[in-house]
Amino acid sequence: MEKRDLKKELKPLYNPGASKVVTVEVPEMNFLKIDGQGDPNTSTAYKNAVEALYSLSYALKFAIKKGPLAIDYGVLPLEGLWWADDMEQFEQTPKSEWKWTAMIMQPEMVTETLVQEVMKTVKKKKDLPALEQLRFEPYQEGR
């Protein structure tokens, strides 16, 4: 079985050095993503989104590990995009009005077809209110 450390492979993105500021070019990568609104500390929508993201990400990891590819890898960390209707007032905007996209990067061996197959399995095992809202799509942050 092949073992991959994606955080090590993507070290400049997930674990940059602390001694100096560096600019990186973030390439296009595939993510499981879900959008919502509300305070991440208290919002049920955010809690449900994170639970669905991790449940599907771990199910995908084990499907690949036990499948024909036989690759073991660690699930990557939760990432987020945050904004408000008026970005000039973002810092003053109550967190309950924040909009967000919660997301977890998926390695190149995860495909849309696999996501749909594994999502069916996860639905049968767990009652996750946000699972249907998840989408699998590329994202390129750039510089």
Side-chain angles (χ1 to χ4, degrees):
M1 173 177 305
E2 180 183 350
K3 207 163 172 56
R4 290 187 54 196
D5 185 342
L6 299 171
K7 284 175 73 175
K8 187 181 274 186
E9 290 175 27
L10 300 167
K11 185 176 180 183
L13 304 178
Y14 285 99
N15 194 18
S19 62
K20 64 180 179 174
V21 175
V22 295
T23 301
V24 295
E25 184 73 27
V26 181
E28 182 173 281
M29 298 184 285
N30 289 323
F31 285 83
L32 288 176
K33 298 164 77 174
I34 187 168
D35 299 321
Q37 178 177 333
D39 184 337
N41 300 308
T42 60
S43 168
T44 300
Y46 190 76
K47 175 193 160 298
N48 290 343
V50 171
E51 184 178 28
L53 281 167
Y54 274 109
S55 294
L56 186 53
S57 292
Y58 274 98
L60 287 163
K61 167 201 167 54
F62 288 112
I64 289 169
K65 181 178 178 180
K66 295 176 181 177
L69 293 175
I71 298 172
D72 188 15
Y73 64 91
V75 169
L76 288 151
L78 179 69
E79 299 182 49
L81 305 173
W82 306 88
W83 69 96
D85 289 331
D86 181 357
M87 283 304 290
E88 291 183 14
Q89 296 296 314
F90 181 74
E91 291 182 24
Q92 290 77 34
T93 301
K95 287 182 181 179
S96 61
E97 295 175 25
W98 284 6
K99 294 179 173 55
W100 44 262
T101 298
M103 49 203 246
I104 297 177
M105 198 280 275
Q106 301 299 307
E108 71 279 354
M109 63 284 249
V110 174
T111 64
E112 178 68 38
T113 301
L114 183 62
V115 169
Q116 294 308 316
E117 289 172 10
V118 173
M119 190 179 284
K120 289 175 190 171
T121 304
V122 172
K123 275 186 214 177
K124 289 177 186 175
K125 291 182 179 181
K126 294 183 173 189
D127 180 25
L128 300 170
L131 191 63
E132 292 290 330
Q133 298 168 39
L134 287 179
R135 65 189 187 280
F136 177 71
E137 66 184 20
Y139 178 72
Q140 183 172 7
E141 190 166 345
R143 193 176 171 129

